[in-house]
Amino acid sequence: MRLQIAILAPVILMFSGCASFEAISAGQIGCVPEAIAISEKKRGWISTTWIATCNNKRHICSSFQAGEKTRQVNCTAEQE
């Protein structure tokens, strides 16, 4: 029983800390998560890219692993 708890606890903690793409894009693009649509998600070994759209304006976003438990997120408005 102890072994099961020791194995499951880190897995539960890992998934409980996950934020949605909408949530991590919100502060970068100035829209509430509920108003953001996410598309074109591409996951790499240490980075992830996606398009966050709000009010018909597209933002190119990326994140990469900046430390053991830290990710850096950047979003830039797509040039027309």
Side-chain angles (χ1 to χ4, degrees):
M1 182 68 168
R2 283 185 177 178
L3 179 59
Q4 290 174 330
I5 293 171
I7 292 171
L8 287 177
V11 173
I12 292 168
L13 289 174
M14 180 177 70
F15 286 110
S16 67
C18 294
S20 69
F21 284 97
E22 293 85 357
I24 62 176
S25 303
Q28 296 286 319
I29 67 174
C31 288
V32 296
E34 296 79 19
I36 298 172
I38 301 297
S39 62
E40 301 179 39
K41 290 185 268 187
K42 296 178 184 163
R43 295 181 187 262
W45 181 251
I46 60 170
S47 65
T48 303
T49 60
W50 65 95
I51 303 294
T53 304
C54 179
N55 297 325
N56 295 319
K57 189 168 188 178
R58 290 169 43 108
H59 298 80
I60 301 166
C61 299
S62 63
S63 71
F64 69 92
Q65 197 73 36
E68 186 176 321
K69 296 181 180 183
T70 306
R71 294 193 72 79
Q72 180 168 340
V73 177
N74 296 300
C75 294
T76 303
E78 186 176 58
Q79 296 180 355
E80 296 179 21

